[in-house]
Amino acid sequence: MPQLIEPSPALHASWLAASAEWEALGTQDGAGRHLVPDQGLETAEGFRRWTETLREQETNPVGGYVPATHRWIVEEGTFLGAIDLRHRLNGFLFEAGGHIGYSVRPSARGRGVATWALGEMLEEARARGIGHVLITCDEDNEASARVAEHHGAVLEDVRDTVLGRKCRFWITLDG
């Protein structure tokens, strides 16, 4: 059974293995990599600093970013992916990024991991008083669209953004 945990330096080796899977595909979306433009994640110290930065984003965001809760999807000590809840939307997030972003390593896809993690993070959003959650995905990312739709997401529109053509879904959370 997977768990959502705070980013942890203890998962460095597993995270590096997942990162290699993403690199083989040419991309790794989300997961807070933008917070370390100089990278250095291959070193234990650089990775430790990055996980600390991710944890601090919840109450003390850096670089003009909005407060965000970063969680890692882990099963039996293996990093499966990441999911982030942005506590509010700025202009960029409203257009292209949304409240919640998630990514699952290629070898863990097709098992319902993202669907489960989104359900858990929607509970966090509800607890924070976020009544309407925006989820975006690339227009051709049918798997991500299905994950959002599983949780009642309704497509508002498809639009061109600075990140490319995005589907924009809204999920209304009750009380």
Side-chain angles (χ1 to χ4, degrees):
M1 179 81 177
Q3 309 173 266
L4 291 185
I5 67 166
E6 288 189 345
S8 169
L11 291 169
H12 188 210
S14 184
W15 184 90
L16 285 172
S19 186
E21 288 180 27
W22 272 302
E23 287 177 25
L25 296 179
T27 183
Q28 178 185 0
D29 295 326
R33 286 191 78 152
H34 63 280
L35 296 172
V36 286
D38 62 343
Q39 301 304 307
L41 299 179
E42 66 283 345
T43 70
E45 179 57 22
F47 190 78
R48 184 199 63 73
R49 282 194 313 267
W50 178 56
T51 59
E52 186 175 298
T53 298
L54 289 175
R55 290 189 307 272
E56 289 174 355
Q57 287 298 106
E58 195 156 350
T59 57
N60 188 26
V62 298
Y65 292 102
V66 301
T69 300
H70 296 272
R71 294 292 181 260
W72 285 357
I73 308 164
V74 176
E75 187 173 53
E76 297 177 10
T78 300
F79 176 88
L80 302 181
I83 188 164
D84 309 323
L85 170 65
R86 294 99 182 192
H87 301 175
R88 61 181 166 77
L89 298 177
N90 58 20
F92 168 76
L93 293 172
F94 182 78
E95 280 297 310
H99 281 100
I100 297 177
Y102 44 86
S103 57
V104 174
R105 72 189 288 174
S107 63
R109 292 178 183 163
R111 298 178 23 206
V113 171
T115 301
W116 170 82
L118 178 57
E120 296 294 304
M121 198 56 87
L122 289 171
E123 289 303 317
E124 174 75 18
R126 182 180 283 112
R128 290 184 172 280
I130 302 170
H132 300 282
V133 174
L134 176 63
I135 307 247
T136 69
C137 67
D138 290 343
E139 183 178 34
D140 62 354
N141 190 340
E142 294 175 16
S144 188
R146 282 192 308 272
V147 167
E149 289 167 342
H150 177 86
H151 290 285
V154 175
L155 180 66
E156 177 183 45
D157 62 17
V158 179
R159 64 176 70 170
D160 292 321
T161 74
V162 296
L163 296 178
R165 197 147 171 84
K166 295 288 182 182
C167 296
R168 297 174 71 252
F169 295 91
W170 288 94
I171 298 174
T172 301
L173 302 175
D174 51 358

